[in-house]
Each structure stands twice: as C-alpha cells, then as structure tokens.
C-alpha cells in the first residue's frame, strides 16, 4: 500500500505500466511459494489520509500474510503539513493491519540529495522516529532506506527527481528481502562507482529540462489541488497469482 513509491513508477514496461520494488519482491517470493498471490493497492500522489481511507481497509480484509505500508512522505514534503495528524493516521492504519495477524513492513523512505530534502529534513526525521515507535508497538519490521547513503545518489533517481530508477527499485526489493530474513543475493547498500563530473552547460540543460517537464506541472497540480493519482485505480486491486508477463 502507499503512493508512487510502491506503485513503482519510473521503470516503464513495454506494454504499459511500471515495475517497482514491490513487483520485483513479489516475483522472488512467488518463486519460493507455489501458491503465492500478490496485490498492489498503491496509487501515485496519494496522501496518508487517502491511503487510510482507500487502501487500508481493503488490505486488512484480504487476510494477507505480509503487508507493506509506506506513506506520509507526500504529506511532509508539502509546504503545510500537520505531522501529528500524519502520525495519527499511520497509527490507526498500522493497528488495523496488524490486528489481522499480517506481518507488517514499514519503511523509512529514501531521499535524494538536494535542497528539497534539506528543507523538510526535520519533518522527515520526526516521521521516521514515529515509524520506529509504531513498529515496536505492533511487531512490524522497519526497512531503513533513508539511512542508506547510496539511495541518496542522484544516479539512482529518474529524470523527474521524485522516483527511483530500475536499479533503485532493485535495491529496495533486496533491502526488504533481507529484512524479511531471507538469504542475501546482493549488497543493496553498495556504493556506486565515482561519478564523472558533468560540464556546467550539461547540468544547466538538465535543470531546465527537469523544470519544464516535471517541476512546473507538479507546481501546477499543487496550486489547483489536483494529484497525479486522480481517477486512477490500483494496478493489482486483488490478491492474485503472478502471470508470465509479471516476471522480469
């Protein structure tokens, strides 16, 4: 459950849609469990109140053995945010999900280096500290992506600077896999090779392209109260086996 992070945006599939860390993790779990079924209720742009209203009850009713809940970051990255309310909604959601016997997985979401992260770092750290408390109360597992230096590397983020690349999603899937106590297949915290410095002109062109293609539309949605997830339905609304086209 969650927003674009769990929906898996940026790694586009040839037939449409996206493949993110949750999809990659599901494929690996399915290989170990023949009767494995998977649902993905996450929708891009959702705030924690929407996740609580639209996804939590539905997920709780599925009776799944494993549930991931990642939300709240879209809230704290907005200019105006009631962090106490965000935490309260997370508390209600976690309590409802854990009461059904599911193993709940929470996350400290990753953050890309840059001024936006620094501006809201205090809120993010407040949110993540609460997530640790929440996990202790409900027996949830916490995957600390925020503390992994490599996941702040701009090379693991797509051109929109909001969503992970395919390699970023692969590392998150591996992080969750290991947190579940399964045998490691790679070092998801491994640093990338040193980056070659880009000429000033190329950096400025990239900044202008980002502003035109991503930042301006994002600001426009904020000003008009719209969301990239408006009118969208979850890509996997029900627990179902994985089809051949779901595998990498």
């Amino acid at each position: 459950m969650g927003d674009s992070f769990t929906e898996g945006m940026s790694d586009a599939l040839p037939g449409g849609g996206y493949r993110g860390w949750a999809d990659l993790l599901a494929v690996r779990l399915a290989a170990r469990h023949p009767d494995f079924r998977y649902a993905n209720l996450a929708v891009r742009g959702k705030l924690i109140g929407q996740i609580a209203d639209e996804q939590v009850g539905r997920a709780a009713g599925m009776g799944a053995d494993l549930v991931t809940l990642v939300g709240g970051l879209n809230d704290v990255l907005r200019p105006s945010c009631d962090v106490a309310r965000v935490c309260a909604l997370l508390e209600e959601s976690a309590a409802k999900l854990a009461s059904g016997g599911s193993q709940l997985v929470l996350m400290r979401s990753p953050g890309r280096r840059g001024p936006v992260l620094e501006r809201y770092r205090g809120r993010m750290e407040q949110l993540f500290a609460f997530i640790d408390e929440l996990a202790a109360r409900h027996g949830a597992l916490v995957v600390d992506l925020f503390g992994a230096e490599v996941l702040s590397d701009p090379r693991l983020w797509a051109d929109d600077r909001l969503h992970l690349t395919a390699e970023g999603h692969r590392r998150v899937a591996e992080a969750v896999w290991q947190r579940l106590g399964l045998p490691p297949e790679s070092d998801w915290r491994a640093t990338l090779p040193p980056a070659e410095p880009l000429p000033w002109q190329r950096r400025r062109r990239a900044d202008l392209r980002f502003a035109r293609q991503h930042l301006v539309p994002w600001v426009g949605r904020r000003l008009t109260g719209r969301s990239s997830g408006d009118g969208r339905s979850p890509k996997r609304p029900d627990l179902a086996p994985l089809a051949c086209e779901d595998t990498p």
Side-chain angles (χ1 to χ4, degrees):
M1 289 172 295
D3 50 34
S4 60
F5 176 68
T6 303
E7 183 184 352
M9 290 180 64
S10 75
D11 185 16
L13 298 172
Y18 297 91
R19 178 188 293 125
W21 66 266
D23 306 303
L24 297 172
L25 179 67
V27 170
R28 293 171 65 176
L29 291 172
R32 297 172 67 94
H33 304 281
D35 58 347
F36 181 83
R37 295 181 297 155
Y38 166 53
N40 190 324
L41 305 180
V43 176
R44 66 197 72 174
K46 294 299 183 181
L47 302 174
I48 187 58
Q50 295 169 309
I51 294 170
D53 291 342
E54 301 167 12
Q55 300 177 25
V56 171
R58 189 170 190 171
M62 290 180 178
D65 297 319
L66 175 67
V67 177
T68 67
L69 171 62
V70 188
L73 197 61
N74 280 341
D75 298 78
V76 299
L77 294 181
R78 294 195 170 207
S80 177
C81 172
D82 183 346
V83 180
R85 178 178 178 275
V86 172
C87 292
L89 288 168
L90 277 170
E91 172 74 70
E92 293 174 10
S93 299
K96 183 177 293 185
L97 293 166
S99 65
S102 300
Q103 173 60 69
L104 181 61
V105 175
L106 306 172
M107 292 190 194
R108 292 165 157 256
S109 305
R112 186 183 188 276
R113 295 180 195 140
V116 173
L117 176 63
E118 291 307 315
R119 179 180 180 185
Y120 297 111
R121 179 180 290 275
R123 289 183 186 173
M124 294 172 67
E125 291 178 346
Q126 183 180 349
L127 174 66
F128 296 154
F130 180 78
I131 285 173
D132 288 341
E133 297 173 11
L134 200 56
R137 283 197 292 274
H138 297 290
L141 302 175
V142 177
V143 182
D144 185 13
L145 304 175
F146 186 71
E149 181 68 20
V150 68
L151 289 179
S152 67
D153 192 308
R155 289 172 291 174
L156 290 181
W157 294 79
D159 290 342
D160 64 8
R161 304 182 184 181
L162 290 173
H163 302 107
L164 292 169
T165 62
E167 174 61 13
H169 281 291
R170 186 197 68 77
R171 287 174 181 252
V172 172
E174 178 66 23
V176 181
W177 177 266
Q178 292 183 22
R179 191 65 185 88
L180 292 173
L182 297 167
E185 294 188 5
S186 63
D187 181 4
W188 67 274
R189 292 177 177 267
T191 57
L192 298 176
E196 294 185 8
L198 292 176
W200 182 89
Q201 288 184 327
R202 285 187 61 184
R203 296 200 307 271
R204 296 294 76 78
R205 284 199 297 267
D207 289 340
L208 289 171
R209 184 169 57 252
F210 160 72
R212 182 177 61 254
Q213 296 180 359
H214 304 291
L215 181 59
V216 171
W218 183 85
V219 170
R221 290 195 297 271
R222 297 289 82 75
L223 293 175
T224 58
R226 294 178 292 118
S227 167
S228 56
D230 289 347
R232 290 186 176 273
S233 300
K235 63 181 182 181
R236 293 186 63 92
D238 302 300
L239 282 176
L242 292 171
C244 293
E245 58 268 22
D246 294 314
T247 59

